[in-house]
Amino acid sequence: MGKKLSLITDGFIKNNPTFVLVLGMCPTLATTTSAINGLEMGLATLFVLVLSNMAISLLAPIVPDKVHIPVYIVVIATFVTVLQLVMQAFTPGAYATLGLFIPLIVVNCIVLGRAEAFANKHNVWESALDGIGVGLGFTLSLTVIGLVREVLGSGAAFGWKFMPGDGVLAFVMAPGAFLVLGYLMVIFNKYLKKS
Amino acid sequence: MEYFAIIISAIFVNNILLAQFLGICPFLGVSNKLSTATGMSGAVCFVITLATLVTYLLNAYLLVPLKLEFLQTIAFILVIASLVQIVEIVLKKISPSLYQALGIFLPLITTNCAVLGVAITVVTKEFTFGAESHMLDLPQALVYALATSIGYGVAMILFAGLREHLAGNEVPKAFKGLPIALITVSIMAMAFLGFSGMV
């Protein structure tokens, strides 16, 4: 049981996809203009990650080695299309805000990375747990980055405004994304990373 | 005039790396040296333009008439992946010297989200020109793709130049590597923000 649990919790700090593995930088920077947006993007990735991990761990024994990358990409693209259709139907608002970055989950290196590094060598349940762990780690870091940018940039947290007027607008725009990620990485390196 | 607006907007105002955040992974990954950054920019430029041409035609003459637009993501990524393979094989055959220069970057490009990003953008987004806005036609889409990849190259090469200098400086331990690079990119993005409102 402890081993199963560590599959999930490893994704938070030890194998954190954003701060340790430095994967999936594009959605991390682009969609974290507020905590809610970061959370939604993280959950969308989590959805694809869990399903593609499970499908790939089932498919891996029968896929010839030579064509495994194209096959994995098609599997991932299929789940992304499912996600696109589901989001269009049930959460059109989130679909519109995240926009281009939903189809771009296909080329998110986290998803293909976990398929290559974990799912094709483990059974379906372990792969699902790994997907949940890494997905939650990604969601957590995106939400934290989004929260910091929202607090500094628009004086609000999760849409709740605690300060009148605007914050430092640059934090919501492009430079703020790089700056906040850079400084959070410094904090992570200093206090959380075990050397 | 529209072409001019597309070019300036794609290179400076909406720079693909510094304003749209596409293709960040290779941007951070291979910008340690000026020479590799130049090679990567060349390969990206080539693939983005070619991929946009193919996916635009595929979308306009196959997916739209058959009402299969929801398959865009799958169809485009397959086209890009096979295109990169073909480019690799053809280059190896007809121009070994160019293959030497771009070769090692080509496999990385399949998972470069800039390529898929541009391909999806040109077929889904309406562009605004002054008072009116409309979808891009084929020549405009190609100009957009080319200009976007030039913007990628500009940002990449500038950053690689900065990073070569950064490597020789002493920075606090926790800032070493990526954090200081990200903070530098942030300052670059601020400079590029100065272009906004130009078009």
Side-chain angles (χ1 to χ4, degrees):
Chain A
M1 194 58 214
K3 193 174 154 258
K4 291 264 155 42
L5 197 69
S6 78
L7 280 178
I8 295 185
T9 51
D10 269 4
F12 291 0
I13 306 267
K14 204 178 130 214
N15 277 330
N16 187 292
T18 309
F19 297 113
V20 180
L21 308 177
V22 199
L23 293 173
M25 282 295 113
C26 304
T28 307
L29 292 163
T31 61
T32 51
T33 47
S34 71
I36 296 287
N37 289 350
L39 184 69
E40 283 167 352
M41 185 68 216
L43 292 178
T45 314
L46 173 82
F47 174 87
V48 175
L49 196 56
V50 173
L51 290 177
S52 74
N53 254 6
M54 288 169 76
I56 284 163
S57 83
L58 290 173
L59 280 172
I62 53 167
V63 174
D65 218 30
K66 260 190 179 163
V67 292
H68 73 281
I69 296 277
V71 172
Y72 292 178
I73 289 181
V74 175
V75 170
I76 296 167
T78 311
F79 288 121
V80 170
T81 309
V82 171
L83 174 74
Q84 277 182 285
L85 296 174
V86 169
M87 285 187 76
Q88 271 170 358
F90 295 106
T91 55
Y95 186 76
T97 346
L98 301 177
L100 186 59
F101 287 89
I102 294 297
L104 287 182
I105 295 175
V106 180
V107 283
N108 189 326
C109 7
I110 295 177
V111 185
L112 194 62
R114 288 328 282 173
E116 272 285 274
F118 193 93
N120 63 357
K121 304 184 196 72
H122 291 79
N123 69 35
V124 64
W125 294 116
E126 286 171 350
S127 305
L129 290 179
D130 177 74
I132 294 173
V134 174
L136 284 179
F138 189 61
T139 310
L140 184 71
S141 12
L142 254 64
T143 314
V144 169
I145 298 169
L147 186 64
V148 173
R149 286 180 68 187
E150 196 182 355
V151 166
L152 295 172
S154 38
F158 288 98
W160 171 69
K161 214 156 163 48
F162 56 80
M163 204 178 78
D166 288 331
V168 186
L169 213 57
F171 280 102
V172 184
M173 296 199 285
F178 291 109
L179 199 67
V180 169
L181 182 62
Y183 276 104
L184 283 178
M185 235 177 224
V186 171
I187 295 170
F188 195 92
N189 283 349
K190 187 119 179 107
Y191 297 106
L192 292 171
K193 208 173 186 175
K194 296 184 184 80
S195 50
Chain B
M1 199 54 211
E2 283 193 350
Y3 286 102
F4 184 71
I6 291 173
I7 292 171
I8 295 295
S9 150
I11 298 182
F12 296 110
V13 184
N14 291 314
N15 186 284
I16 187 161
L17 280 167
L18 301 173
Q20 297 187 53
F21 306 110
L22 294 173
I24 300 286
C25 291
F27 175 60
L28 295 174
V30 303
S31 56
N32 282 324
K33 276 172 63 190
L34 203 53
S35 55
T36 47
T38 319
M40 185 69 183
S41 314
V44 166
C45 190
F46 191 58
V47 174
I48 285 187
T49 315
L50 203 59
T52 306
L53 172 68
V54 179
T55 52
Y56 189 96
L57 294 174
L58 177 80
N59 188 63
Y61 294 104
L62 197 69
L63 297 181
V64 172
L66 295 175
K67 299 215 172 13
L68 288 175
E69 288 102 326
F70 71 94
L71 283 179
Q72 260 169 8
T73 314
I74 300 184
F76 284 15
I77 190 70
L78 275 179
V79 166
I80 291 167
S82 28
L83 197 70
V84 171
Q85 285 285 316
I86 296 171
V87 168
E88 204 177 339
I89 296 166
V90 171
L91 268 189
K92 210 173 187 174
K93 199 86 185 160
I94 60 169
S95 170
S97 60
L98 195 61
Y99 178 76
Q100 284 284 318
L102 304 183
I104 49 164
F105 303 108
L106 284 173
L108 292 174
I109 289 179
T110 314
T111 51
N112 184 335
C113 52
V115 184
L116 185 62
V118 171
I120 295 178
T121 304
V122 292
V123 297
T124 53
K125 195 180 148 205
E126 285 203 340
F127 285 74
T128 313
F129 303 102
E132 52 178 324
S133 64
H134 58 76
M135 306 291 283
L136 298 180
D137 57 23
L138 184 58
Q140 284 174 336
L142 287 180
V143 168
Y144 174 78
L146 189 64
T148 303
S149 44
I150 291 173
Y152 190 94
V154 168
M156 181 94 147
I157 290 165
L158 283 176
F159 182 56
L162 284 174
R163 218 170 162 185
E164 280 193 346
H165 286 280
L166 218 54
N169 286 323
E170 268 185 43
V171 292
K173 193 165 158 273
F175 281 84
K176 275 218 171 79
L178 269 186
I180 191 75
L182 282 167
I183 293 163
T184 314
V185 183
S186 160
I187 297 167
M188 257 178 85
M190 263 179 230
F192 269 71
L193 216 55
F195 291 115
S196 62
M198 246 172 78
V199 183

